[in-house]
Amino acid sequence: MYGAEAGGAETERTAFRRAEKRYKLYKSQPPRSRKQPVVNRTDLSDAIDFLAVLESFERDGGTPEGIYRFECPGFALPIFCLEDRPGFYFIPCALTTEEQCHWIRQSLISFPQPPNRTNHTAIYGPISDLLTAVQNKKILVAAEHSNVDLVDNNMRAPRYIFSETSLDAHVEGQGSCKSVAASVLLRKLRWSTLGLQFDWSKRNYDVSLPQNKIPNDLCLLAKKMAVPAMSSGEEFQPEAAIVNYFGPSDMLGGHLDDMEADWSKPIVSISLGCKAIFLLGGKSREDMPVSMFLRSGDIILMTGQARECFHGVPRIFIDDEHAENSDLLSKFSGEEDRCFVDYVKSSRVNINIRQVN
């Protein structure tokens, strides 16, 4: 989805790729059966469970071998680190359920709003009020005047607009283009960018692209959570954020986040929604990665040497046994929350905030 990734046959033989394949979601169809494909069971016994680590520490003050409690004066939340991964910090249960609900709402309502760019922008142009369109069961169709410039934000007029009815649309000079349901667009939303906009084709931040500042409450949260990874007397300066949206079968391949100028400044990564497996490797794909669970409300920090480590998310869990999102779902109780309930049942959102310069 982003960062430096490698491909081809060589990656199939690396330790990181083997770990990805181990945890990836696989389904099998019984021969001559009309039943739904069966999800193959995965051995999860090696994955670090930081919630269990926290509970054990609170009970008897101990931690498993290779894990230690990090002391940060003035920081109220528990922090755990890995002895062999300097610069990696895990803050379990960092957000309350109410805070998680707030950031899920923001991730679906506000963060995809123009001038923020999403994976849909290159195809459809700027799309406004996607979640509202989903709630009203609208359809995206081609706009009649798609080549007119908007004065505000120096953005192109939308090539597509939402309509009440499903009609095939015609784009001048491009032939017919079928309409798309807003609900389909939400399910296919994979990323949005806040603050400084990331140019995926050039793999850099493009200061010429229209942008809004990162919301103040998200900046304050990132500054607060980054404290354990910052040098004494320094304050984290949020300048950009990438929001990743995961569906049931989605994964984030092993990569490095290497486009920021100063790797001594952390990436603040917030997990929301369904539980996931996170892989943290080393400086080479040949290094065997450590696997761990990421639950809704967990926050991880990566700075210094950890910024040089390959990492990824090979799996999210949507089944009742492993998703662990029932408390979160119970907070979306109103009829107007139906879209959030449907989304959270089978999705994960990751907000990662960066200091670019």
Side-chain angles (χ1 to χ4, degrees), residues 280-336:
L280 178 64
K283 296 181 182 181
S284 166
R285 291 180 182 273
E286 294 296 346
D287 297 325
M288 182 61 67
V290 177
S291 61
M292 63 195 75
F293 294 117
L294 277 175
R295 291 179 173 85
S296 191
D298 290 342
I299 290 179
I300 60 175
L301 311 174
M302 295 179 68
T303 185
Q305 292 186 46
R307 291 288 300 266
E308 302 178 57
C309 294
F310 284 92
H311 56 281
V313 178
R315 175 83 173 269
I316 76 164
F317 298 96
I318 65 170
D319 59 290
D320 293 339
E321 180 182 358
H322 295 107
E324 299 188 27
N325 56 4
S326 57
D327 288 347
L328 191 58
L329 289 169
S330 68
K331 298 296 182 181
F332 294 109
S333 56
E335 182 59 34
E336 68 278 6

Side-chain angles (χ1 to χ4, degrees), residues 192-268:
S192 62
T193 48
L194 317 180
L196 288 174
Q197 298 292 291
F198 192 80
D199 187 326
W200 304 94
S201 62
K202 298 177 182 177
R203 293 200 64 250
N204 63 18
Y205 292 95
D206 189 342
V207 296
S208 69
L209 292 173
Q211 60 175 276
N212 286 335
K213 289 185 177 180
I214 297 177
N216 188 55
D217 54 351
L218 184 59
C219 283
L220 293 174
L221 176 62
K223 288 182 178 182
K224 174 184 174 182
M225 292 299 167
V227 167
M230 296 295 293
S231 299
S232 178
E234 289 191 329
E235 183 178 61
F236 183 66
Q237 300 299 324
E239 295 175 297
I242 298 176
V243 186
N244 293 321
Y245 305 85
F246 295 78
S249 302
D250 291 336
M251 63 176 291
L252 179 60
H255 65 280
L256 299 175
D257 297 307
D258 56 358
M259 295 312 301
E260 290 75 38
D262 186 354
W263 290 7
S264 70
K265 302 302 186 292
I267 288 179
V268 180

